[in-house]
Amino acid sequence: MENIKAYIEQHKDRFIDELIQLLKIPSISADPKYKNDVLKTSEIIKTRLLEAEVDYAEICETDGYPIVYAEKIIDPSLPTVLVYGHYDVQPADPIDLWTSGPFEPIIKTTELHPEGAVFARGACDDKGQMYMHVKAFELMMKTNSLPCNVKFMIEGEEEVGSESLEDFVKQNKEKLAADIILISDTGMIANDIPSITTGLRGLSYVEVEITGPNRDLHSGLYGGAVANPINILTQMIASLHDDQNRITIPGFYDNAEELSLDERAEMAKAPFDLEAYKAALNLEDVHGEEGYSTMERNSIRPTLDVNGIWGGYTGEGAKTVIASKAYAKISMRLVPGQNSDNITKLFSDHFKSIAPKSVKVKITPHHGGTPYVSPIDDDGYKAASLAMENTFGKKPVPVRSGGSIPIVALFEQELNVKSILLGFGLDSDAIHSPNEHFGLFNYFKGIETIPQFYKYFTDLKK
Ligand code: BES
Ligand code: MN
Ligand code: MN
């Protein structure tokens, strides 16, 4: 423990510099313009892993972006930890709202990060959190304290659905054999309230297109007599929730697992301050499904949200027009029991059924994902809990998250290995938003906690 702290103290500046170098590269997987940057990022990670003295590291080519794989096998009879993370990032838009360049990392203090935070796209999701693992590994190697085997699998397509990783996992089951998968790509409650993520929601994502007349029309000459696709689309979307904010798609909740009252009471023990929550978002009130708390609404309940909607004239001034088409991107977050393909089909059937004859509907499904819940009584959770208790001085609380990492359910299905979601970000770190950042406290706490996880996990397996 003292060794670990001393090593971090001694190499602090370099650990920050190396992260900053990574954050300077715009590895945006969604936009082909950044292809070379995404590829360059994978090369740097490979180099950093080699410098940290893995046995070998390789760039595994796929149909999409490559997967960086590396391993250090010290003794095949010891447990193996498989580290997963991603080196791709979300697009930075809207750029105007960043107070400094998204790929010009700088350190600033904030109310929640008085010790400073690195501001850049990917700082928290997931370059900063992924890189904690590379530095924790370096630290264990240099201080002669690596207690077990390690494998690294760092992908470049998480933000666009992990399609290539899916094939990679299916084709490399032996190579990826492990006792536990360790992931830092989630958050915790607060810097003085450690928590471990025990669940992720699944995802169905669709794009809808409503077509009215075959061309844009003068809204005076035709208005009132033909369907306006934007009017229709917004009516259809509005009807997807009832007055209790429940989703109206028939069958949507059929297989959604309900938590028992006991489980809900247990959940309610996790610290949560509704007034602070509202204040942080500048909201007069929250909004959501009746009968559930805010914490429940954003973790154990399924949702439907419009992520984008467009059509017609949005330029300067006024143009009197009835557009031919209107579009929306709609995501549904799923809970255990719900199946992504099934929900996508229920949505599509229902959405088509509520459209009037005056328009045509086209629905394009995007990526989906299966929900995941992890046990809190296995060695993985116990090791994570002991590790955090050790470094934070407080036992962490289990919390189910509202976010999704679709590949985690696939790991379990294909590799039969559970994942531990040991995240160090805060909800307020603005992932996917302008001014994303990651606290230096969190970065170093992660680097300090990860070796503890290895130690406790190896001990528990003995
Ligand atoms: N790391 C996030 C997911 C996350 C963040 C889970 C915080 C829990 C807490 C991941 O990179 C992400 O953004 N996932 C996407 C889904 C993906 C298919 C694009 C999401 O949740 O929207
Ligand atoms: Mn992520
Ligand atoms: Mn993300």
Side-chain angles (χ1 to χ4, degrees):
M1 185 69 187
E2 283 320 304
N3 266 354
I4 292 181
K5 283 208 165 135
Y7 191 88
I8 294 175
E9 203 42 56
Q10 204 181 340
H11 297 275
K12 239 180 169 153
D13 292 342
R14 178 172 56 84
F15 284 5
I16 295 175
D17 286 346
E18 288 175 10
L19 175 58
I20 285 178
Q21 292 316 315
L22 266 187
L23 291 170
K24 280 186 181 167
I25 315 167
S27 53
I28 303 168
S29 52
D31 188 341
K33 221 172 51 217
Y34 296 97
K35 183 169 177 198
N36 286 334
D37 294 300
V38 184
L39 296 175
K40 191 170 146 197
T41 309
S42 68
E43 291 289 347
I44 294 183
I45 293 162
K46 177 186 159 187
T47 307
R48 294 281 177 265
L49 282 163
L50 285 169
E51 286 166 359
E53 287 175 29
V54 291
D55 294 331
Y56 75 93
E58 58 185 352
I59 299 278
C60 303
E61 298 299 338
T62 70
D63 289 344
Y65 286 122
I67 291 147
V68 185
Y69 178 84
E71 62 180 46
K72 179 87 198 175
I73 307 295
I74 56 171
D75 177 350
S77 70
L78 285 169
T80 300
V81 175
L82 172 59
V83 174
Y84 162 78
H86 62 94
Y87 63 83
D88 64 322
V89 302
Q90 284 277 324
D93 334 59
I95 304 266
D96 297 354
L97 297 181
W98 285 78
T99 52
S100 53
F103 300 103
E104 294 154 28
I106 75 162
I107 295 171
K108 289 184 272 194
T109 57
T110 72
E111 207 178 313
L112 292 176
H113 295 297
E115 298 169 41
V118 196
F119 280 72
R121 170 59 82 232
C124 178
D125 183 13
D126 180 41
K127 282 175 176 165
Q129 297 213 68
M130 173 270 291
Y131 203 61
M132 297 181 315
H133 287 270
V134 181
K135 293 299 98 179
F137 173 73
E138 172 197 314
L139 180 157
M140 289 185 282
M141 289 301 292
K142 296 287 156 114
T143 56
N144 259 320
S145 58
L146 180 69
C148 61
N149 305 310
V150 198
K151 295 176 176 177
F152 287 91
M153 174 171 63
I154 315 295
E155 71 152 319
E157 294 184 347
E158 196 278 341
E159 299 293 6
V160 290
S162 301
E163 229 175 277
S164 303
L165 185 64
E166 214 177 303
D167 296 334
F168 182 79
V169 168
K170 288 179 180 161
Q171 287 156 17
N172 291 281
K173 293 191 185 181
E174 223 154 282
K175 185 186 186 108
L176 301 174
D179 297 277
I180 193 79
I181 299 172
L182 185 60
I183 305 173
S184 297
D185 192 21
T186 54
M188 54 181 195
I189 297 177
N191 282 358
D192 57 353
I193 311 173
S195 61
I196 296 172
T197 303
T198 53
L200 294 164
R201 285 194 285 194
L203 193 64
S204 282
Y205 202 112
V206 294
E207 191 167 324
V208 301
E209 178 193 281
I210 302 289
T211 307
N214 59 3
R215 59 186 170 88
D216 289 6
L217 302 173
H218 188 288
S219 68
L221 298 183
Y222 290 92
V226 299
N228 177 331
I230 302 174
N231 293 8
I232 302 281
L233 174 63
T234 52
Q235 278 169 2
M236 288 168 71
I237 287 172
S239 79
L240 295 176
H241 287 94
D242 66 15
D243 55 6
Q244 297 176 42
N245 287 315
R246 279 177 68 86
I247 295 153
T248 56
I249 299 168
F252 185 84
Y253 293 100
D254 279 2
N255 300 309
E257 280 168 25
E258 291 274 354
L259 262 63
S260 68
L261 287 175
D262 280 353
E263 286 171 301
R264 290 176 66 186
E266 197 53 42
M267 237 191 101
K269 286 187 191 157
F272 177 73
D273 181 345
L274 186 60
E275 289 313 310
Y277 184 86
K278 289 193 282 193
L281 300 173
N282 199 13
L283 293 170
E284 283 289 314
D285 201 1
V286 289
H287 183 94
E289 186 180 357
E290 241 168 68
Y292 294 92
S293 70
T294 294
M295 284 258 272
E296 291 172 336
R297 287 169 178 170
N298 70 20
S299 63
I300 58 162
R301 296 300 295 160
T303 61
L304 182 151
D305 277 295
V306 178
N307 296 261
I309 182 162
W310 68 103
Y313 182 71
T314 56
E316 285 293 315
K319 179 186 181 193
T320 49
V321 66
I322 291 174
S324 167
K325 287 176 188 288
Y327 307 83
K329 290 182 193 277
I330 298 174
S331 67
M332 288 159 278
R333 296 280 170 174
L334 312 180
V335 300
Q338 291 180 301
N339 169 280
S340 173
D341 292 339
N342 182 34
I343 292 289
T344 301
K345 179 157 191 332
L346 290 178
F347 173 91
S348 304
D349 291 349
H350 177 66
F351 208 66
K352 284 179 189 152
S353 81
I354 59 173
K357 257 196 4 237
S358 51
V359 298
K360 291 183 195 73
V361 181
K362 187 175 143 195
I363 297 172
T364 313
H366 283 271
H367 49 243
T370 308
Y372 180 76
V373 269
S374 65
I376 57 167
D377 55 4
D378 66 350
D379 290 340
Y381 187 88
K382 281 184 200 149
S385 180
L386 288 166
M388 274 193 148
E389 188 173 354
N390 183 322
T391 55
F392 284 83
K394 239 185 224 179
K395 199 176 166 153
V397 275
V399 221
R400 273 171 62 172
S401 171
S404 309
I405 311 176
I407 203 71
V408 174
L410 191 105
F411 290 155
E412 174 160 41
Q413 186 194 311
E414 296 296 326
L415 304 174
N416 196 22
V417 184
K418 295 256 189 260
S419 294
I420 291 296
L421 300 158
L422 190 61
F424 294 88
L426 300 183
D427 281 358
S428 52
D429 285 347
I431 63 170
H432 293 205
S433 304
N435 305 311
E436 174 176 353
H437 54 279
F438 189 41
L440 294 178
F441 169 88
N442 305 67
Y443 183 52
F444 290 115
K445 253 316 176 225
I447 297 172
E448 189 188 334
T449 306
I450 291 162
Q452 299 296 325
F453 174 85
Y454 280 66
K455 188 187 78 175
Y456 287 117
F457 186 71
T458 308
D459 284 350
L460 285 166
K461 284 281 164 205
K462 268 180 192 154

